């Protein structure tokens, strides 16, 4: 039962504390689009998306007007293209990416995800060809996002795939060098990828999903930060309780929007992803939450402990608010998209090594990090391998989205615009892992994967 106080509190969260629905994402199956002909394959993809998501943006705007809740993005995710493309050539996959781009433009959505492959244990012909197509596909489209899952706790780590992805990232960076290497901002490498994630660039429509589904991602770093400020100098148990209650309220808003969108579109409601996803806007920063908890700067000793507590409290509050919590759900730490993270890097308090440690206790991984444009492929592969190992050993999702900013070095800043923000180019340990990466093969699954 809603009361006046709840309504007024929600209005305050929206107006003063940057509460929003970060995305309504419609998942669409493309299994009925299979064709041996590249032209027919692309045509069927375009027709399926435009037919199914025709009303997505309109419905999102209607819900915004009805409830006064901002819905920042309306997005689509599709079946990983390598699963439905078969032995399509790289040129055929690029053609399919153009069809996805045209479908996104026609429907008016913000991004489309699913130019993806799952290669944690090995590569099919289709997966090899899709990965080969990624640089061209992302350089020639604006709204298409790509993801590749290279490891899982059950399968181990596919080091051959990591080597391929290191090379793919560098090629993508050079093909989009005239746009601050932005192609890499639409490409993410995963371990233990979730199949119902509504957030880009990693969203795709998993194999166990229905024909269509609505997944919603909520976001409220500003709300949590304000709640902590109001809590004052309480102890950490009381602080965790405050965060938990705040996450409950945020998730209830997401549950309302998700249910309403699913009903209006006539498709099943999937999950609410209750991640704290920051933006470059003032007052919408996960780093500032950590500083409000008592750190002089994000990156100081104690940062990982603060983030662990925050992530746990957010999850506990969210699962009480919705019976269908999924996706990533927790705190995101994308450097370029978080004003507090950017400031911490610029003041020298936050390093890549500290970010890697933080990823062991939060929802994603090394996200939206600009690195020098001349970084060797083997160093990028080493960064990916380290981060993916954290996910595999800890049975959690981790990911890497790094941008080798071609033509830029440490101390420069690259600007991506919009929600993608701006990123200071971070220094790296450049001692080479080349011989390790060149060994190839698979790192076996950890012993605790044997749970059957």
């Amino acid at each position: 039962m809603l009361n006046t106080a709840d309504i007024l509190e929600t209005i305050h969260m929206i107006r003063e504390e940057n509460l929003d629905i970060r995305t309504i994402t419609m998942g669409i199956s493309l299994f009925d689009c299979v064709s041996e002909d590249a032209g027919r394959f692309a045509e069927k993809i375009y027709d399926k998306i435009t037919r199914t998501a025709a009303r997505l943006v309109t419905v999102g705007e209607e819900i915004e007007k009805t409830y006064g809740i901002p819905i920042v993005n309306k997005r689509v995710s599709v079946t990983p293209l390598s699963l439905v493309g078969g032995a399509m050539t790289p040129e055929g996959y690029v053609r399919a990416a153009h069809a996805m781009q045209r479908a996104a433009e026609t429907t008016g959505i913000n991004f489309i995800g699913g130019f993806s492959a799952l290669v944690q244990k090995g590569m099919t012909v289709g997966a090899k060809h899709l990965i080969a197509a990624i640089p061209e596909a992302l350089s020639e489209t604006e709204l298409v996002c790509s993801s590749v899952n290279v490891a899982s706790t059950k399968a181990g780590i596919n080091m051959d795939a990591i080597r391929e992805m290191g090379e793919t990232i560098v090629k993508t960076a050079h093909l989009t060098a005239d746009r601050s290497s932005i192609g890499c901002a639409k490409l993410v490498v995963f371990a233990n990828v979730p199949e119902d994630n509504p957030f880009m660039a990693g969203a795709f429509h998993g194999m166990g999903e229905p024909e269509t589904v609505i997944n919603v991602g909520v976001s409220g770093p500003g709300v949590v930060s304000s709640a902590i400020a109001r809590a004052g100098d309480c102890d950490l148990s009381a602080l965790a309780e405050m965060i938990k209650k705040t996450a409950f309220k945020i998730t209830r808003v997401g549950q309302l929007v998700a249910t309403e969108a699913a009903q209006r579109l006539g498709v099943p409601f999937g999950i609410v992803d209750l991640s704290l996803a920051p933006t470059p806007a003032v007052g919408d920063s996960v780093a500032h939450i950590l500083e409000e908890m008592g750190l002089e700067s994000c990156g100081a000793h104690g940062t990982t402990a603060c983030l662990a507590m925050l992530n746990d409290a957010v999850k506990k509050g969210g699962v009480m608010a919705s019976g269908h919590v999924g996706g990533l759900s927790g705190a995101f730490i994308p450097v370029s998209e978080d004003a507090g993270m950017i400031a911490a890097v610029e003041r020298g308090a936050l390093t890549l090594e500290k970010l890697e440690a933080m990823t062991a206790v939060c929802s994603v991984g090394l996200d939206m990090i600009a690195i020098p444009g001349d970084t060797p492929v083997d160093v990028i592969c080493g960064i990916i391998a380290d981060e993916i190992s954290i996910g595999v050993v800890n049975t959690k999702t981790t990911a890497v989205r790094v941008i080798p900013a071609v033509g830029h070095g440490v101390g420069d800043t690259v600007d991506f615009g919009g929600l993608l923000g701006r990123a200071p180019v971070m220094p790296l340990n450049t001692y080479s892992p080349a011989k390790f990466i060149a060994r190839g093969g698979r790192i076996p699954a950890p012993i605790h994967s044997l749970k059957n």
Side-chain angles (χ1 to χ4, degrees):
M1 178 69 70
L2 289 175
N3 58 46
T4 303
D6 289 335
I7 295 169
L8 291 174
E9 183 179 27
T10 303
I11 291 171
H12 178 76
M13 288 178 179
I14 293 168
R15 290 183 175 176
E16 305 297 331
E17 299 171 349
N18 298 303
L19 174 64
D20 59 50
I21 301 299
R22 186 54 47 84
T23 178
I24 294 178
T25 301
M26 175 179 277
I28 301 173
S29 171
L30 297 184
F31 279 110
D32 55 350
C33 296
V34 172
S35 175
E36 293 183 0
D37 179 81
R40 180 64 179 143
F41 181 52
E43 182 182 338
K44 291 173 78 171
I45 288 172
Y46 174 83
D47 290 345
K48 180 71 178 287
I49 295 169
T50 53
R51 181 177 70 254
T52 308
R55 297 181 56 245
L56 178 61
V57 172
T58 300
V59 166
E61 291 172 346
E62 289 172 355
I63 294 172
E64 285 184 282
K65 291 176 183 177
T66 300
Y67 294 103
I69 300 169
I71 300 173
V72 179
N73 287 285
K74 294 83 176 175
R75 298 165 172 169
V76 164
S77 63
V78 299
T79 308
L81 227 60
S82 68
L83 298 182
V84 293
M88 196 69 62
T89 64
E91 293 74 21
Y93 279 115
V94 171
R95 192 166 179 176
H98 282 284
M100 292 169 68
Q101 171 72 25
R102 288 189 294 109
E105 292 170 347
T106 299
T107 55
I109 59 174
N110 302 97
F111 284 107
I112 182 166
F115 198 81
S116 305
L118 309 177
V119 296
Q120 57 267 27
K121 205 169 183 180
M123 292 192 199
T124 63
V125 172
K128 289 180 180 179
H129 288 176
L130 181 133
I131 291 172
I134 287 174
E136 188 175 351
L138 295 186
S139 69
E140 295 180 1
T141 62
E142 294 180 5
L143 307 179
V144 175
C145 294
S146 178
S147 59
V148 178
N149 192 69
V150 299
S152 71
T153 299
K154 201 71 177 172
I157 304 173
N158 186 343
M159 291 299 294
D160 293 327
I162 285 179
R163 185 167 53 191
E164 290 262 358
M165 291 312 300
E167 294 170 353
T168 298
I169 289 167
V170 169
K171 290 176 184 175
T172 304
H174 281 276
L175 285 178
T176 55
D178 59 332
R179 289 161 282 163
S180 301
S181 300
I182 196 170
C184 296
K186 302 183 293 171
L187 173 59
V188 57
V189 183
F190 273 109
N192 293 318
V193 66
E195 299 191 6
D196 54 6
N197 165 29
F199 288 99
M200 299 298 171
F204 65 82
H205 189 64
M207 291 186 68
E209 297 290 309
E211 183 70 15
T212 56
V213 71
I214 287 292
N215 298 320
V216 166
V218 298
S219 182
V223 179
V224 174
S225 186
S226 295
I228 294 171
R230 289 193 300 272
D233 294 327
C234 62
D235 68 21
L236 293 175
S237 296
L239 195 62
E241 189 67 18
M242 172 69 75
I243 296 169
K244 186 170 71 175
K245 290 177 179 178
T246 304
F248 176 89
K249 295 171 184 176
I250 294 169
T251 307
R252 291 301 283 176
V253 175
Q255 175 85 3
L256 169 67
V257 171
T259 304
E260 188 73 16
Q263 289 176 349
R264 295 190 187 200
L265 289 164
V267 302
F269 157 50
I271 58 94
V272 176
D273 186 320
L274 50 99
S275 297
L276 295 178
T279 72
V282 175
D284 202 24
S285 162
V286 169
H288 288 159
I289 295 176
L290 304 179
E291 291 165 0
E292 196 65 56
M293 292 170 72
L295 301 174
E296 182 179 3
S297 173
C298 177
H301 294 300
T303 297
T304 306
C306 285
L307 184 59
M309 191 186 95
L310 171 66
N311 213 54
D312 180 68
V314 167
K315 289 178 185 290
K316 286 174 177 173
V319 297
M320 293 298 293
S322 174
H324 298 287
V325 171
L328 294 160
S329 289
F332 285 7
I333 53 171
V335 172
S336 78
E337 300 172 19
D338 186 311
M341 295 283 177
I342 295 169
V345 171
E346 290 177 337
R347 70 172 71 100
L350 186 60
T351 64
L352 190 71
E353 288 77 13
K354 186 60 176 178
L355 282 164
E356 183 181 302
M358 292 164 68
T359 66
V361 299
C362 73
S363 293
V364 281
L366 295 172
D367 197 19
M368 288 302 292
I369 295 170
I371 59 177
D374 60 356
T375 302
V377 170
D378 62 271
V379 172
I380 295 173
C381 292
I383 293 169
I384 297 171
D386 282 346
E387 183 59 32
I388 293 308
S389 298
I390 291 173
V392 168
V393 172
N394 291 287
T395 320
K396 69 184 293 293
T397 300
T398 53
V400 175
R401 187 163 48 147
V402 293
I403 300 101
V406 176
H408 295 276
V410 175
D412 293 341
T413 297
V414 288
D415 196 331
F416 307 113
L419 282 176
L420 296 177
R422 65 182 182 88
V425 178
M426 298 183 70
L428 300 176
N429 181 336
T430 56
Y431 285 95
S432 176
K435 289 181 70 175
F436 169 66
I437 301 299
R439 289 179 182 272
R442 278 172 39 217
I443 295 178
I447 186 65
H448 58 261
S449 68
L450 301 176
K451 292 183 178 181
N452 289 338

